[in-house]
Amino acid sequence: MVEQCNPTISSHYIGLRLPSNPTYTVTNMKKILFVSSEVYPLIKTGGLADVCSSLPKALVELGQDIRVIIPKYPSLKTVGEVQFLCSLRIDNHLINIFETQIPDSPIIAWLVDCPDLFNLPGNPYVDEKGIPWVNNAERFSLFCRVAVEVAMDKVNRGWKPDIVHCNDWQSGLVPALLSLEKNRPKTIFTIHNMAYQGLFPVEVVRSLNLPGQLWNPNGLEFYGMLSFIKGGIVYADRITTVSPTYALEIQTPEFGYGLEGLLAHRSEHLVGIINGIDTNEWNSEIDPHISQRYTVDSLPDKLPNKSELQRRVNLPVNDQVPLFGLISRLVEQKGIDMIIECLPEMVELPMQLVLLGNGDKDFERQLQNIASLYPDKIVIIIDYNESLAHLIEAGSDVFLMPSRFEPCGLNQMYSQRYGTIPLVRKTGGLADTVVDTLPDSIDNHSATGIVFKEANSGALLEAIKRTLLLYSNHATWQQMQTNAMNKDFSWRNSAAQYLALYDNI
Ligand code: ADP
């Protein structure tokens, strides 16, 4: 098949250089196996799931043949048929592989079923107290070994990928194991978050039955521990991460967690490609979760969503007071501690805050304690709720995202699409996707948000006060909303960049 695409390939490449000419010819369909521990809507704990669903969809639209492989957790939300495909044995485990489709997409998902390892309730990585499952090394090393069997078509499905695209530490052993195979597919390893590395004590190494030649300081060993993420960083043919700024940041001690030297060493093969978003899922024109749909041309129709959100979460219904929204895992990365420090002053300001999230129990408790004192100003909802997340995006005026670090971040892009102004810290993908509102950017109509630099509560509070000032200027605010809603956050550009990368390996 010969297909002409015309993506704008903006040059987000660091080290790697791809053709700057945007005219791109897909001469042959590539077979690409996506390896991930979560894929929306089958299972999701964060942005990884969104990306591993929406990027494959975008690549299919660019004429590629994609399969996704994930563990078969009991909490998978499959829709429709789940068919048995084949069995294999690894060590003393009998593994069945099932086939289903990612709901609302043509994409085939292969589900790795090994009940003695994956038959755990709830979250794929941690128990209900937030403690990692004790056998995570065994669980995900087995998952990787199965992915390798599939990638080499040792399961005889007549489908051998050209590219194996691995995501985060749970798939990190795949490039390492494939590096030992002859006639292997090329490998890409995408870092969605360096903070999660899959580090395990040396004692587990023997029980995993991994090839001995991978165990050395230039391989999977990291200061005497087993590092899954190193498997991807050392052995993958290409490394990507999810924003150009984060690709630079992870080569520094502050964000590299001890792997900055290795990443700098591999910088020729490291590239930052900003994530796109699923523009069907996050579309204020058709969103089934919101009370009034709207577009950039009908901005006043956004307002009923604010009243509905205020009603739904029991805040006073008031269209004059700016409503701040926040949806997040409650972890230090997201700057939740800075928000907690700011709350006593925030309640003195003319604003409301609705926060939806869960995670660190201590953060949950502290937030709830403060919120209970100011029910007219702050509402904290400890939950994971997709539908409410959509209403918060549509109903808020401002979206708070003061992350200490943010590889890419999705909510700041959802917000802009919904005309909800993001207030973000200048880091990672937030720096790459939000344009601060300054005299120049107001004049040239590029301003889409409020950006602050220092990771402390004083700087956050200043930014909140600046936001309130801007909000009081109706014309400027409306222009910011229009600028934000007109931005293109679709996967079109980014998927084309991945495709160029696949072609250039
Ligand atoms: P991360 O992957 O670090 O958690 P991202 O911004 O990349 O952060 O992606 C987070 C995704 O998870 C977004 O789609 C966000 O809306 C969603 N999300 C996070 N917490 C919740 C929650 N409590 N309820 C609903 N959606 C949530």
Side-chain angles (χ1 to χ4, degrees):
M1 185 177 75
V2 176
E3 195 183 324
Q4 283 285 336
C5 311
N6 200 9
T8 325
I9 301 183
S10 50
S11 205
H12 285 324
Y13 288 81
I14 292 165
L16 271 174
R17 294 271 159 233
L18 292 166
S20 55
N21 182 342
T23 305
Y24 188 77
T25 308
V26 181
T27 45
N28 57 345
M29 178 194 275
K30 283 200 167 41
K31 297 195 189 80
I32 304 158
L33 179 67
F34 257 79
V35 187
S36 176
S37 56
E38 49 184 286
V39 175
Y40 179 81
L42 295 174
I43 184 142
K44 167 172 165 176
T45 70
L48 171 65
D50 288 326
V51 175
C52 290
S53 158
S54 46
L55 174 57
K57 282 186 203 166
L59 288 167
V60 164
E61 280 173 22
L62 290 175
Q64 304 305 301
D65 179 9
I66 314 275
R67 312 280 150 105
V68 176
I69 187 164
I70 67 165
K72 189 171 184 293
Y73 315 103
S75 43
L76 280 190
K77 291 190 197 126
T78 53
V79 175
E81 240 181 310
V82 180
Q83 275 182 334
F84 170 79
L85 204 64
C86 58
S87 300
L88 64 155
R89 187 169 276 283
I90 293 182
D91 298 342
N92 55 351
H93 297 290
L94 176 67
I95 296 128
N96 292 319
I97 299 183
F98 290 86
E99 177 171 307
T100 188
Q101 229 160 299
I102 298 182
D104 301 324
S105 86
I107 296 164
I108 291 173
W110 283 335
L111 314 177
V112 176
D113 185 34
C114 182
D116 43 332
L117 292 183
F118 289 113
N119 208 358
L120 296 163
N123 187 292
Y125 320 117
V126 295
D127 66 16
E128 67 218 1
K129 293 197 188 101
I131 296 166
W133 299 114
V134 282
N135 57 351
N136 271 348
E138 197 189 352
R139 296 169 76 224
F140 290 106
S141 105
L142 186 93
F143 173 57
C144 290
R145 289 172 69 185
V146 175
V148 168
E149 297 292 297
V150 170
M152 294 305 295
D153 197 24
K154 291 183 185 168
V155 290
N156 299 317
R157 301 315 305 162
W159 192 91
K160 185 173 173 191
D162 305 299
I163 306 278
V164 179
H165 190 147
C166 304
N167 295 276
D168 271 353
W169 73 262
Q170 297 86 352
S171 61
L173 299 186
V174 173
L177 293 166
L178 275 176
S179 74
L180 306 175
E181 300 280 344
K182 286 209 179 81
N183 299 324
R184 65 171 176 87
K186 299 287 184 193
T187 51
I188 291 194
F189 182 67
T190 296
I191 301 167
H192 297 260
N193 196 333
M194 275 300 291
Y196 303 95
Q197 304 201 345
L199 278 179
F200 299 95
V202 67
E203 294 75 50
V204 306
V205 174
R206 217 161 295 127
S207 67
L208 299 183
N209 208 4
L210 296 171
Q213 62 267 52
L214 298 177
W215 183 250
N216 65 75
N218 295 322
L220 300 179
E221 188 181 342
F222 182 69
Y223 297 105
M225 296 187 82
L226 168 65
S227 166
F228 273 54
I229 202 171
K230 267 191 86 187
I233 297 174
V234 172
Y235 295 98
D237 295 306
R238 296 288 184 275
I239 307 158
T240 75
T241 187
V242 289
S243 69
T245 296
Y246 196 59
L248 291 173
E249 288 174 341
I250 59 178
Q251 296 178 54
T252 67
E254 190 183 351
F255 300 95
Y257 299 92
L259 291 172
E260 59 276 6
L262 174 61
L263 285 159
H265 173 72
R266 292 223 62 199
S267 62
E268 280 291 299
H269 293 136
L270 166 65
V271 39
I273 302 176
I274 197 85
N275 285 334
I277 61 172
D278 188 328
T279 47
N280 288 322
E281 193 71 29
W282 294 94
N283 183 348
S284 59
E285 200 174 349
I286 54 170
D287 192 329
H289 305 287
I290 67 180
S291 66
Q292 171 85 50
R293 297 178 191 148
Y294 59 99
T295 68
V296 66
D297 297 320
S298 59
L299 255 179
D301 289 342
K302 179 173 161 57
L303 202 55
N305 293 298
K306 178 169 175 176
S307 339
E308 173 61 20
L309 176 58
Q310 288 167 324
R311 254 191 303 276
R312 189 89 67 89
V313 301
N314 285 327
L315 279 170
V317 175
N318 179 342
D319 62 6
Q320 297 303 308
V321 66
L323 175 53
F324 286 57
L326 191 155
I327 305 158
S328 181
R329 290 183 295 120
L330 301 179
V331 293
E332 204 179 277
Q333 174 196 341
K334 303 292 179 179
I336 303 301
D337 52 324
M338 288 192 260
I339 290 178
I340 291 172
E341 276 178 40
C342 280
L343 281 178
E345 295 205 49
M346 279 163 79
V347 295
E348 302 295 327
L349 297 171
M351 59 179 285
Q352 297 176 334
L353 170 67
V354 53
L355 185 155
L356 167 67
N358 54 12
D360 185 299
K361 299 295 163 211
D362 207 34
F363 284 152
E364 290 182 359
R365 194 179 35 75
Q366 290 185 58
L367 286 165
Q368 279 176 315
N369 284 349
I370 303 175
S372 66
L373 301 176
Y374 305 96
D376 282 0
K377 307 227 62 169
I378 312 173
V379 172
I380 308 294
I381 301 154
I382 303 297
D383 189 14
Y384 189 95
N385 185 331
E386 280 282 335
S387 176
L388 183 59
H390 283 249
L391 185 62
I392 291 176
E393 285 293 5
S396 304
D397 298 297
V398 181
F399 192 88
L400 260 186
M401 213 161 163
S403 306
R404 290 182 178 281
F405 67 94
E406 195 60 75
C408 177
L410 295 171
N411 277 108
Q412 82 282 9
M413 294 191 270
Y414 302 156
S415 305
Q416 289 173 79
R417 237 175 114 63
Y418 279 65
T420 299
I421 299 304
L423 188 173
V424 304
R425 201 173 89 72
K426 192 178 172 77
T427 183
L430 301 176
D432 292 335
T433 55
V434 180
V435 179
D436 197 10
T437 304
L438 298 167
D440 274 3
S441 59
I442 293 176
D443 282 351
N444 66 22
H445 290 189
S446 61
T448 64
I450 292 93
V451 183
F452 71 101
K453 269 199 190 133
E454 302 302 325
N456 60 55
S457 55
L460 172 58
L461 201 63
E462 278 310 305
I464 290 171
K465 289 179 181 163
R466 185 152 70 92
T467 306
L468 296 180
L469 262 181
L470 286 165
Y471 182 79
S472 65
N473 182 332
H474 189 65
T476 304
W477 194 261
Q478 213 173 19
Q479 186 61 56
M480 290 160 71
Q481 288 180 301
T482 307
N483 300 343
M485 291 183 85
N486 281 332
K487 280 182 87 162
D488 179 6
F489 291 114
S490 72
W491 267 104
R492 212 164 32 100
N493 286 343
S494 304
Q497 291 181 57
Y498 276 108
L499 208 49
L501 182 67
Y502 299 152
D503 274 351
N504 274 271
I505 294 187

